[in-house]
Amino acid sequence: MSRVNLDLQTANQELELRSADEIVRWALERSERPLVTTNFRPYEAVILHLVTQVRPDIQVLWVDSGYNTSATYRFAESLIERLKLNVVTYIPQMSSARRNVLMGGIPDIDDPLHEEFTRQVKLEPFQRALAELKPDLWFNAIRKDQTAFRQSLDVVTQSRDGVIKVAPLFYWSEADLDAYLERFALPNEFDY
């Protein structure tokens, strides 16, 4: 598997004042096997549009847990068609129907089964996808203002297995996202 060799501190200093589009172009120049991840949550149209404007054929990884709302599935299909996304979908190894019987539905956050549920529907398919697709770089839509943990991150980070993670929208606000959606007449869906 090819790896992107970067000095993360230097890269982040270089990208601090660059536009999201410039960050995408910078990253793609350094990557042989990039992908963008999505779960089609609110504002995902921004990262998908931004990246595919520069590289239309980029692989778009969607881990479909099987527990999305009907609105999310309709939104996903609409966006896939509109942006002509090169979607690669990974699903859990166990069907949602079987898991619902064994776990009694979606376990509450304080239920001991919740951690195993999350592993089965999100982590395992995602880890399998990375092992099979072997990206050297992945674009994501995380933003600094979303959580306390994300405030400790930066535009460019590296996963434990060496994949470079690039967040072109890291310094964007919700107002910035709304403005981008409006500028390009992109849809959004909050029933996620």
Side-chain angles (χ1 to χ4, degrees):
M1 180 185 322
S2 65
R3 290 283 178 224
V4 177
N5 292 314
L6 288 176
D7 176 302
L8 295 178
Q9 183 176 358
T10 302
N12 282 302
Q13 287 172 348
E14 182 180 339
L15 297 173
E16 189 172 3
L17 300 176
R18 296 235 189 138
S19 70
D21 180 68
E22 289 172 319
I23 292 168
V24 168
R25 290 177 189 285
W26 174 93
L28 288 172
E29 288 170 3
R30 289 157 176 77
S31 174
E32 293 177 17
R33 296 186 54 84
L35 63 76
V36 59
T37 56
T38 188
N39 56 10
F40 293 102
R41 69 179 183 263
Y43 296 109
E44 288 291 288
V46 175
I47 188 72
L48 295 171
H49 182 266
L50 183 70
V51 173
T52 59
Q53 292 308 293
V54 180
R55 182 153 176 190
D57 67 338
I58 192 168
Q59 283 189 320
V60 177
L61 171 58
W62 178 21
V63 174
D64 177 2
S65 67
Y67 291 93
N68 291 300
T69 66
S70 296
T72 298
Y73 285 116
R74 283 190 295 274
F75 174 65
E77 292 307 313
S78 170
L79 209 52
I80 289 167
E81 184 178 319
R82 178 171 177 179
L83 298 180
K84 298 179 180 21
L85 299 177
N86 178 18
V87 175
V88 180
T89 304
Y90 276 73
I91 60 173
Q93 293 177 326
M94 184 187 300
S95 72
S96 55
R98 181 176 174 202
R99 188 176 306 97
N100 287 343
V101 169
L102 297 177
M103 293 185 170
I106 300 174
D108 289 332
I109 193 84
D110 56 351
D111 186 317
L113 289 175
H114 191 269
E115 187 174 330
E116 177 59 16
F117 174 85
T118 300
R119 188 195 69 73
Q120 287 182 21
V121 303
K122 293 180 181 177
L123 301 178
E124 184 283 324
F126 185 73
Q127 291 165 347
R128 182 166 24 99
L130 292 184
E132 292 175 8
L133 299 174
K134 298 179 180 11
D136 57 2
L137 181 142
W138 101 63
F139 290 101
N140 61 60
I142 69 164
R143 297 190 338 267
K144 184 175 184 165
D145 68 359
Q146 290 175 309
T147 66
F149 173 72
R150 289 182 177 175
Q151 290 176 14
S152 70
L153 299 177
D154 218 325
V155 171
V156 181
T157 56
Q158 190 169 24
S159 68
R160 280 178 253 148
D161 59 355
V163 178
I164 297 296
K165 299 186 289 186
V166 178
L169 309 175
F170 190 69
Y171 293 110
W172 284 33
S173 66
E174 204 165 284
D176 295 326
L177 296 170
D178 285 329
Y180 190 95
L181 290 174
E182 186 174 332
R183 177 178 173 203
F184 292 101
L186 293 168
N188 204 12
E189 179 56 63
F190 287 100
D191 184 8
Y192 169 73

